[in-house]
């Protein structure tokens, strides 16, 4: 059986403008690989209602799971929750359980649960809350879409809450080998290796160091024995260039 698939939607003008560097994709990819869920696509969209809705509908239909990051805070440009609701034609309201989480938190910290903060309790009907032990304001899961904050510490905590509830497949394994030859010299044997081990992913990542060219070859898959066999052949093929 193939592994379940996932897509990711990164939401925010600050990502597209270059003002903020996204680290959530890197984190999610690593965690999904451990779980045996294949990340197959990542998109970045602006804080634009139509763009978010279109992307959510497309990605949720093409993958088993869709993870979103960004746009569920208290400010006017945090529109992700209402866009997810619209994407599935689902009503959205201030949910009592989400409101209580926020009310208890702000009472304990001596701050007011004002209208802005109450926006974070707006949850689409039928969604399940995602625990947020960092800043309390919850994410949520609606159908196969897991909606999370963009702040990396909160995103990571929410991923940790969600992943144990998902059924994964075989974890992704990998090995790498540094070859001190340019890609033009290794392309032919590498193509033959890829053809003979079509069940594996074989990637070439070139580098230049002290005027010399080389490449790091990374072999990925879910069968450790197959990876070992491919890596052994690769090392034998380029024994004099390691």
């Amino acid at each position: 059986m193939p592994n379940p698939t996932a897509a990711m939607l990164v939401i925010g003008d600050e990502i597209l403008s270059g003002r903020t560097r996204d680290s959530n994709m890197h984190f999610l990819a690593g965690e999904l690989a451990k779980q045996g869920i294949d990340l197959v696509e990542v998109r970045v969209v602006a804080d634009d209602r139509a763009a978010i809705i279109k992307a959510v509908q497309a990605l949720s239909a093409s993958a088993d799971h869709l993870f979103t990051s960004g746009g569920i805070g208290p400010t006017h440009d945090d529109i992700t929750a209402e866009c997810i609701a619209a994407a599935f034609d689902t009503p959205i309201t201030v949910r009592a359980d989400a409101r209580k989480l926020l009310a208890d938190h702000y009472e304990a910290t001596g701050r007011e649960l004002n209208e802005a903060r109450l926006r974070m309790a707006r949850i689409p009907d039928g969604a399940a809350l995602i625990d947020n032990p960092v800043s309390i304001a919850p994410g949520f899961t609606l159908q196969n879409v897991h909606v999370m904050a963009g702040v990396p510490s909160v995103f990571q905590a929410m991923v940790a809450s969600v992943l144990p509830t998902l059924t994964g497949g075989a974890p992704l394994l990998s090995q790498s080998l540094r070859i001190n030859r340019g890609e033009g010299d290794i392309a032919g044997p590498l193509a033959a290796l890829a053809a003979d081990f079509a069940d594996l992913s074989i990637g070439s990542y070139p580098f230049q160091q002290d005027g010399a060219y080389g490449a790091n070859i990374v072999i990925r898959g879910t069968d450790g024995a197959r990876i070992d066999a491919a890596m052994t052949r690769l090392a034998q093929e380029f024994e004099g260039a390691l």
Side-chain angles (χ1 to χ4, degrees):
M1 290 289 292
N3 282 354
T5 59
M8 182 179 184
L9 181 62
V10 182
I11 300 165
D13 293 344
E14 69 277 10
I15 303 295
L16 290 169
S17 70
R19 181 179 179 85
T20 299
R21 184 190 299 271
D22 176 68
S23 63
N24 292 335
M25 181 191 72
H26 178 265
F27 175 80
L28 180 64
E31 294 303 299
L32 290 176
K34 298 175 190 174
Q35 188 83 1
I37 298 174
D38 297 339
L39 183 61
V40 295
E41 184 173 358
V42 178
R43 296 190 194 181
V44 183
V45 296
D47 295 311
D48 176 85
R49 177 182 170 86
I52 296 170
I53 292 172
K54 181 179 179 181
V56 166
Q57 290 173 335
L59 293 174
S60 65
S62 66
D64 295 315
H65 300 282
L66 171 60
F67 295 82
T68 76
S69 72
I72 61 171
T75 59
H76 72 283
D77 57 345
D78 289 315
I79 60 174
T80 297
E82 63 190 60
C83 291
I84 300 294
F88 292 106
D89 194 22
T90 300
I92 183 171
T93 57
V94 173
R95 268 253 298 263
D97 51 356
R99 180 184 183 125
K100 185 176 188 318
L101 285 172
L102 293 171
D104 291 348
H105 172 71
Y106 286 114
E107 181 179 1
T109 58
R111 290 178 290 171
E112 177 191 3
L113 179 58
N114 56 26
E115 283 299 314
R117 290 172 175 145
L118 198 57
R119 282 174 53 84
M120 296 185 290
R122 297 178 73 241
I123 307 292
D125 287 1
L129 298 186
I130 296 174
D131 186 38
N132 171 12
V134 176
S135 59
I136 301 304
F140 61 85
T141 294
L142 183 63
Q143 297 192 27
N144 67 334
V145 183
H146 312 289
V147 181
M148 304 179 177
V151 177
S153 61
V154 181
F155 179 83
Q156 292 173 19
M158 288 184 173
V159 169
S161 295
V162 168
L163 282 187
T165 71
L166 306 183
T167 300
L172 184 66
L173 308 173
S174 69
Q175 293 186 38
S176 64
L177 185 69
R178 174 185 170 118
I179 299 176
N180 295 308
R181 288 186 187 171
E183 283 192 304
D185 295 328
I186 68 174
L190 206 58
L193 183 71
D196 291 343
F197 290 86
D199 54 319
L200 303 178
S201 169
I202 301 176
S204 176
Y205 305 95
F207 63 83
Q208 181 180 5
Q209 187 174 19
D210 298 327
Y213 292 89
N216 290 304
I217 308 304
V218 180
I219 301 179
R220 302 180 180 90
T222 57
D223 187 330
R226 288 286 287 171
I227 294 174
D228 286 343
M231 187 59 68
T232 297
R233 177 170 147 183
L234 181 66
Q236 291 171 345
E237 187 84 38
F238 295 102
E239 184 175 0
L242 303 181

